[in-house]
Amino acid sequence: MASVVLEERGTQSGSRGPEVVNDFSIHVATANGSGSMSSNNILMRAIFQMGIPVSGKNLFPSNIQGLPTWFTIRASKEGFIARRRDIGVLICMNPETAQEDVKTVNPGAAVIYEESLNLRGTRDDVHFYPVPFSKLVLELVHDGKLRRLAVNMIYVGVAAWLLGIEMEEIKKALSKQFKGKEKAVEINLAAIQGGFDWAARNLVKSDPFRLERMNATAGKIIIDGNAAAAMGCAMAGVTVVAWYPITPSSSLAESLISYCQQHRIDPQTGKPTFAIVQAEDELAALGMVMGAGWAGARSMTATSGPGISLMSEFTGLGYYAEIPAVVFDIQRVGPSTGLPTRTMQGDILSTYFLSHGDAKHILLIPGSVTECYLFAQEAFDLAERFQTPVFVMSDLDLGMNNWMADPFPYPEKPFDRGKVLRSSEEIKAHIAKFGEFARYRDVDGDGIPYRTLPGFSDLPAAAYFTRGSGHTDHATYSERPQDYKDLMDRLARKFETARRAVPKPEKRTTPGARVGILHYGSSDFAVQEARHLLSRRGMPSDSLRVRALPFPAEVLEFVASHDRVYVVDQNRDGQMYDLLRLELTPQDVARLRSIRHYDGFPLDAETVVEGVEAGEKV
Amino acid sequence: MASVVLEERGTQSGSRGPEVVNDFSIHVATANGSGSMSSNNILMRAIFQMGIPVSGKNLFPSNIQGLPTWFTIRASKEGFIARRRDIGVLICMNPETAQEDVKTVNPGAAVIYEESLNLRGTRDDVHFYPVPFSKLVLELVHDGKLRRLAVNMIYVGVAAWLLGIEMEEIKKALSKQFKGKEKAVEINLAAIQGGFDWAARNLVKSDPFRLERMNATAGKIIIDGNAAAAMGCAMAGVTVVAWYPITPSSSLAESLISYCQQHRIDPQTGKPTFAIVQAEDELAALGMVMGAGWAGARSMTATSGPGISLMSEFTGLGYYAEIPAVVFDIQRVGPSTGLPTRTMQGDILSTYFLSHGDAKHILLIPGSVTECYLFAQEAFDLAERFQTPVFVMSDLDLGMNNWMADPFPYPEKPFDRGKVLRSSEEIKAHIAKFGEFARYRDVDGDGIPYRTLPGFSDLPAAAYFTRGSGHTDHATYSERPQDYKDLMDRLARKFETARRAVPKPEKRTTPGARVGILHYGSSDFAVQEARHLLSRRGMPSDSLRVRALPFPAEVLEFVASHDRVYVVDQNRDGQMYDLLRLELTPQDVARLRSIRHYDGFPLDAETVVEGVEAGEKV
Amino acid sequence: MSSVADPKAPPVNRVGLSVKEYGGLKSTLCTGCGHDVITRQITQAFYEMGVAPHKVAKMSGIGCSSKTTAYFVDRGHGFNAVHGRMPAVATGAMLANHGLVTIGVSGDGDTASIGAGQFVHMLRRNIPMIYVIENNGVYGLTKGQFSATADLGTRLKTGVVSDLPPIDLCAMAIELGCGYVARSFSGDMKQLVALLKGAIAHRGTALLDVISPCVTFNNHEGSMKSYKWAKEHEIPIQEIGFVPYFEEIHVDYDPGTTQEVELHDGSKIRLKKLREDYDATNKGGALALLLEAEQKQEFLTGLIYVEPSKKDFLSLLSLPDVPLASLTEKETRPPREALDKMMEELR
Amino acid sequence: MSSVADPKAPPVNRVGLSVKEYGGLKSTLCTGCGHDVITRQITQAFYEMGVAPHKVAKMSGIGCSSKTTAYFVDRGHGFNAVHGRMPAVATGAMLANHGLVTIGVSGDGDTASIGAGQFVHMLRRNIPMIYVIENNGVYGLTKGQFSATADLGTRLKTGVVSDLPPIDLCAMAIELGCGYVARSFSGDMKQLVALLKGAIAHRGTALLDVISPCVTFNNHEGSMKSYKWAKEHEIPIQEIGFVPYFEEIHVDYDPGTTQEVELHDGSKIRLKKLREDYDATNKGGALALLLEAEQKQEFLTGLIYVEPSKKDFLSLLSLPDVPLASLTEKETRPPREALDKMMEELR
Ligand SMILES: Cc1ncc(C[n+]2csc(CCOP(=O)(O)OP(=O)(O)O)c2C)c(N)n1
Ligand SMILES: Cc1ncc(C[n+]2csc(CCOP(=O)(O)OP(=O)(O)O)c2C)c(N)n1
Ligand code: SF4
Ligand code: SF4
Ligand SMILES: [Mg+2]
Ligand SMILES: [Mg+2]
């Protein structure tokens, strides 16, 4: 019956328009903790394996079970993987939100839903596909305990039939998902196949959405930014990790634990070449990292906004006493607890200036999972080179969502351990060259002093005293005005050296562009798509993605060379826009416009397009 | 003997120049904890009582006993009480630093010193007055235990003779200092008189420095900024105070305790109308203040840089959940522990943006002890009016040093307790007017919602739930993007309302001025003196003293109306200069120049003059 | 026992309110979460004690446990503060208004990990409040990492084993002078509600360390905070009866086997000893008991230590009867003479 | 016993260094400050134990006490961290280099007030380090406010009386499983140096709570942390002898009156009981003793509890013998194959 009705609707809805192939997004609405995650992954991977560029975003609540969750899979033959506002295919599994969910889709969308939800009446401009999921699961899954999860597999089958996802790829994805668990594969496959067959028998396709094999993902990987960053840390030879759980950063530490357990065990001794400690809070976490960095380890922590606030005092110590440390800030929506499971670039400004007193810090801002991997390594080199805390500013969208990427390159560059005198020999050589060892003396003009490590040399000259209070270049206590000034001026000089050492911004150009878009981090996906759309609409634009602070010269040049530059911030106050105003000449400040997105959802291309068009009064 | 030699020196040093009357500074070099404080106070007060404008600055170490300390008394007939670089009269009591100290004085200066230090050889362009303090004290003070302290009284007597300080006033100051302690007065007077008499018998005055009675201090008071602020808090009806000791803020809390014990005991019940708690740390201190503010108390804490860093997370909660709190930041030299006993305006920028996520706070910046008193009261009104943490940014120079002022006015303005519904009646009236009570709803466009207090009304409608996580205007938990955006936009609107409510800047003009000086806080003394000097040198200037953030419109107008505006910061990074750049138009930014002083000593007029002259290429 | 007028009307307590009026929002925790059971007992206890709901201040930190303050007595004010720092906020609230009946709900992570410092000082000050730790040995809200109360040798689903000794929050509380220290289990409702009523009757910090299984992350085989483990291992040291001050019943009891303790408000708590003559008023004995339990890995529940007479922080401050929050300009702004006097001293 | 070659040369220890080579900068504390006395005993203990000075890591927080790490063993590295958070920094340093001999020096404010949380977790983890609290009951560096160890009823010069119970850091340490817990007095140098040598010989956190009068702010009549009060009230529970592992002397002792405990490095500490058969290896007894002392306001000193066999945190992590800080790219960057494998799993 259903099918007939549907066909009519399909006709009525008058959307016998052109097919939409490999360019729409699938929105799955479920309840948190209902185990839909594996189903969604399987859908996403199967599409990916069909060679279609894809991305998966999980919009989840700060709750463990019961509250609504949405998973969006975007397929894009052009390879755009940012969030997309309009929804092509909706799968309604959550009674709580079904009514609302249906309202959100575009006219002509396909809506798969649990029959009993009776959504048909709600709209007449979409394609409804009622499915008796709860009945089907009883037939398809015999073990009652498994049904709650298996029901989600049924919609995989239905979607596969409706959209033309190849069952072969679904099977591959399935067995990858449940690697080794034969039984699980078997049961879930039955459910998927059951859904597929039921759909084939009972549904008539009336919507325009279809997926077909192409060849744009060969050799690519899918990974989330936190796993990528963890991989980078493992490759960077991190030796001491202290962390305190907090969403969305926990998975970075937890992936790191498993990568290290697999790849950081000394083959000879069978012992770990790392120590990972769950601290009692973030003050302790950074404190441990400071102690370890001081003693010569490559040490790090990972946290999010509230943790950054708690790390403020220790960060000032690291800046002033010059101690290497790597801190990952996987940004979420603040201030305070805010929206712990939503994304934002809200800590850029406060982290750049973190600590009371005069202090500025090196920030690395990855714009892709690949950069999460690369900048993790870069961060340790910079922290040891500049003997200061370095922050890697990722965010929830980048860190916890699934992104396509080329396989990561094996690092060719050797570690940069910075100016460390590791042995009595090195210390003697240093003294021979510079007359003496003075912990905080700038012997070569770059603002960076040499350091020794506790316990590495028995030369009396090797020892020095570290303190957060005023000190001479010999690290002795001092309240002399000139000593303080000299130290602060050298730290400023060191920061200028860093300006030349941090990753340069990434520039993309379009012939004839007069306007530029300046952005950073996870905004890149939406911005590049926006540039594509803008060009189509006859407005070519260049883009510059800031990848680190302090701003390298290229940033200022980019602004100077465009009529108008739209600064894209995922926060309310235009934090990057503000930081630019602090460094640009007044003339160049006049070129800036600010586009701000701050509702907790990842940035989408439309927002950028609208911002630019508004500014250009198109 | 000594005297003769001295006379010759006096002659040789050829400084029989004109007398210097009521316009020089006296520099007393002693060791910390040697009990010179009372002597210095007596000197300062005696001069003050002679009707001569005076200020006293204590340059002390972060140490309890033994390290060098300097006390500078500036007498200025013109009433300038900022720090002054050049020293007219030096009193050398500290063997450790005597050699260095002598180097610091101007040619022609008078140097009183302990004979045995043998300084005579060190320079031939100053007037040396060797005094056998250690011998004298044996004769003058019989109780051995008291000698360590009494020796300092001897130099009071010597200075009195040398500079013409009236003994009558010395006696008055002495008995004020040791109020009630007859014995102490007696012993110390003997020492002072002894010093005076010895000097009269053995010294011949050859230096030009003299103090003579005038009438510029009648009715005035001398007080430090922390005591003034404490007085303001007591007058503002503070009811809950939670603090953790830290230099230079401790004396604010400690003065508050004694003022409250004297003036905040309910005459009927004999019980305190306040609760002051020494918390276990700054996180707890602000936490207690939050809890108390939420429950309806006027609550506050006082701290310095490291404490501000630790308060970052709770500050974000206060901003986002809208809880009144008053925080005094008596700024010292950071970052980290820095120079705990030296002054700086180093926390302005980080406090304005304190907390992760998007947050900006109201800052009040007192520029005199009188404003410490007034702004303390203003702060409670603003905190309750705007339901948010308000920071009073004082500093060590203002807070711990002695300043002359007119007696403080009794507050005429009634308390502003803000939009609080204190009873069922008020709540009913509110509901009648607005339909319902919604804790976070902006019912009248100023961005400020109404609140109720726990336990004040048994109406079910009165209760609401406070949280640092996302919430609707009904204070219920929400992750809806629109709810978040609405809340953050309202908070921004509320901040704009505050811009119109905070104290306006103070403007001073000179006819014909094209350049302006923009400054804040304790810099005012040096800036006004600098303007005086600049005018003398033919460069009239206007000044604008910013008294609060966010910037009122007048600040932008001032900049717009001057060719060049010199922004005076007592920090390395030009923090106020940066904050201005974030709000001015590019054209006006172009007018700004930055003058930065950051060696831990209070700002002096010369630094400002040099900065302006350099900029104006005079 | 509440007098029922209209037979159809729900029973009401001594202040004329039905148990519904002590309820809160619908829980968003996982079905079966131990915390929800505790929420119900808290609701029941406030109802039975006839506490005026609008006087209730519900304080919490961050965590699944800390969320539960929204699920009971929503006619009271709630404050969901920051992670691990609720004690300070509660302290401030009590300073401002000592008339509030304050209950803090926290988790083992919120209290024993990030919150250890404030926990220590709340106890030292003896802040008058009920402090309930919903103890599941893990960080539920961040998906199940071990907390500092995870038992030695307990195992996560991932296989990770806890190799550090757990912090015994009851022992710590007794050590720091807390006058009402109980351990319970969310599966033991009868005991829990009695202990909660006692906590309401006590003046000073009343600590309840309640084992409350996390069904999602710590309820499996090998977990020592699972329902199964707790049910199998719970050893109540007393059978607990509670006689509220407003009920005039006299049941005789045998002082040999039952210990009666009068609490601050006049209510009495009756401890029928299940462990041969254990004296809950003996500090040394209480510490010894916990030590023994730790060494034998015994899971003892009951009122471990009670000392009703200890002064609470607010009485040390000798605050006025009117809450500070109610004072107005009239009472709190010193008169002109006071200012004149201060000025005089500075001339 | 150091062998003296050249009669004019100063005596040297087993590693051939004189006591001078264990010295530091001149103290800037007040003359007579208890902390300086402790500094001297620390110097002496490191000298006598023949610890390689360059292996010594001197950790501290902020306070007069925390400054003292600059006054001994300046051939070791010092780290003057932030207030109350030194345990974390020390933990990190030990993780990076377990070959360091780490001594933390803190104050009662630094440890019991702002530092309570980190103190608790350092003890729970049993971080291998000597942790000395120079306990004067006040915040010296901020001019004498009470700390959380101020005794009940003690009075400041200003007249203010402490009305909160002091935190007993030794009891807390024992409660939290610390394996070496001692209380001493800076006036009792013989006992202190023996306890310090024992602490060096112990593996795990060795806690010394040393009463160390603040002569400037807390040494007056009415203070319960003054030299006078401490001298008059100190009751040593043992006479303490220490036999380092590198000295082969056999003195017989009577097990009835003396308890000998072998420490981690093979050294032996001998406790001649002054309190009728007190057993320093019995946790329950130790807690009972401290409770009794608290109730009687007795000032007991000595090795209150010792349990040398408890595993320290680093051994739980089974770290390699080479310190992590010494590992280079060679040992810490996974090979190309490892990356390929990770990539494969993501395809
Ligand atoms: C400063 C800070 N750090 C970390 C977090 C993340 N976080 C939220 S809840 C929680 C632990 C909760 O554990 P517990 O207190 O035991 O409560 P449960 O969820 O187990 O009931 C953590 C670490 C946070 N919210 N704030
Ligand atoms: C975050 C922070 N808060 C406050 C201070 C100020 N402060 C410095 S030392 C100290 C207390 C020192 O007391 P204690 O640890 O007992 O050491 P003592 O001076 O008594 O030896 C305080 C509160 C600080 N340095 N940092
Ligand atoms: S995760 Fe655990 S603690 Fe949190 S709600 Fe679920 S069961 Fe309860
Ligand atoms: S103030 Fe007290 S603790 Fe500090 S150095 Fe002086 S005597 Fe010692
Ligand atoms: Mg828990
Ligand atoms: Mg102390």
Side-chain angles (χ1 to χ4, degrees), chain C residues 107-109 134 136-140:
Chain C
D108 42 311
E134 304 188 335
N136 54 20
V138 293
Y139 297 164

Side-chain angles (χ1 to χ4, degrees), chain B residues 463-541:
Chain B
Y464 72 91
F465 197 96
T466 302
R467 46 164 62 84
S469 46
H471 44 273
T472 62
D473 61 2
H474 275 103
T476 55
Y477 184 80
S478 170
E479 295 176 354
R480 279 189 59 238
Q482 199 53 46
D483 289 333
Y484 174 78
K485 215 160 165 310
D486 291 344
L487 169 54
M488 291 302 283
D489 291 342
R490 180 176 58 74
L491 291 177
R493 212 155 61 236
K494 183 167 83 167
F495 201 64
E496 287 311 306
T497 306
R499 187 186 298 279
R500 296 186 296 274
V502 299
K504 306 240 169 284
E506 179 186 73
K507 185 173 180 177
R508 304 227 186 150
T509 59
T510 316
R514 316 277 317 270
V515 308
I517 300 176
L518 191 153
H519 63 291
Y520 56 101
S522 62
S523 301
D524 196 44
F525 309 100
V527 166
Q528 298 314 331
E529 184 175 0
R531 289 182 55 234
H532 177 82
L533 296 173
L534 285 164
S535 296
R536 276 221 228 118
R537 305 189 198 182
M539 185 181 302
S541 61

Side-chain angles (χ1 to χ4, degrees), chain B residues 287-288 291 314, chain C residues 58-62 66 69 79-93 102-107 110-111 115 118-119 122 129-132:
Chain B
M288 292 178 190
F314 260 124
Chain C
K58 306 172 296 174
M59 318 303 285
S60 62
I62 302 288
S66 295
T69 48
F79 195 140
N80 207 171
V82 296
H83 191 33
R85 324 282 178 189
M86 169 264 279
V89 180
T91 300
T102 297
I103 177 168
V105 177
S106 180
D110 197 60
T111 293
Q118 294 209 342
F119 181 65
M122 166 189 73
M129 68 185 286
I130 305 159
Y131 192 93
V132 179

Side-chain angles (χ1 to χ4, degrees), chain A residues 64-65, chain C residues 28-35 64-65 136 138-141 212-218:
Chain A
I64 301 300
Q65 181 213 303
Chain C
T28 60
L29 302 186
C30 307
T31 19
C33 175
H35 303 350
C64 296
S65 35
N136 54 20
V138 293
Y139 297 164
L141 193 55
S212 174
C214 169
V215 295
T216 304
F217 297 112
N218 202 16

Side-chain angles (χ1 to χ4, degrees), chain A residues 61-62 309 312 319 333-334 336-338 346-347 353 356-358 468-470 479 484 488-489 572-573 575 581-582 598, chain B residues 61-62 309 312 319 333-334 336-338 346-347 349 356-358 468-470 479 484 488-489 572-573 575 581-582 598:
Chain A
S62 176
S309 282
S312 180
Y319 173 82
V333 175
S336 199
T337 301
D347 305 342
F353 293 114
H356 61 281
D358 287 305
S469 47
E479 295 176 354
Y484 174 78
M488 292 302 283
D489 291 341
R572 180 194 67 180
D573 291 343
Q575 298 184 9
R581 288 200 284 177
L582 296 183
Y598 55 100
Chain B
S62 174
S309 282
S312 179
Y319 173 82
V333 175
S336 198
T337 302
D347 305 341
L349 186 131
H356 61 281
D358 287 306
S469 46
E479 295 176 354
Y484 174 78
M488 291 302 283
D489 291 342
R572 181 194 66 181
D573 291 343
Q575 297 183 10
R581 288 200 282 178
L582 295 183
Y598 55 101

Side-chain angles (χ1 to χ4, degrees), chain B residues 581-592:
Chain B
R581 288 200 282 178
L582 295 183
E583 303 214 358
L584 295 178
T585 63
Q587 304 84 299
D588 289 343
V589 168
R591 305 170 189 277
L592 299 181

Side-chain angles (χ1 to χ4, degrees), chain A residues 354-415:
Chain A
L354 197 63
S355 166
H356 61 281
D358 287 305
K360 289 179 187 168
H361 310 289
I362 297 172
L363 268 50
L364 300 184
I365 313 173
S368 65
V369 289
T370 308
E371 280 185 349
C372 289
Y373 167 79
L374 295 173
F375 285 6
Q377 301 173 56
E378 189 70 36
F380 287 97
D381 286 353
L382 289 169
E384 289 197 312
R385 161 64 42 190
F386 290 95
Q387 302 174 25
T388 194
V390 170
F391 295 83
V392 184
M393 308 299 288
S394 176
D395 63 33
L396 183 143
D397 184 27
L398 190 55
M400 288 187 75
N401 284 327
N402 297 296
W403 302 95
M404 238 176 35
D406 290 322
F408 299 155
Y410 188 77
E412 303 302 340
K413 206 169 71 162
F415 293 172

Side-chain angles (χ1 to χ4, degrees), chain B residues 244-245 282, chain D residues 35 62 64-65 83 107-110 136 138-142:
Chain B
Y244 189 69
E282 290 85 352
Chain D
H35 302 352
I62 302 288
C64 296
S65 34
H83 190 32
D108 42 312
D110 197 61
N136 54 18
V138 293
Y139 297 164
L141 193 54
T142 52

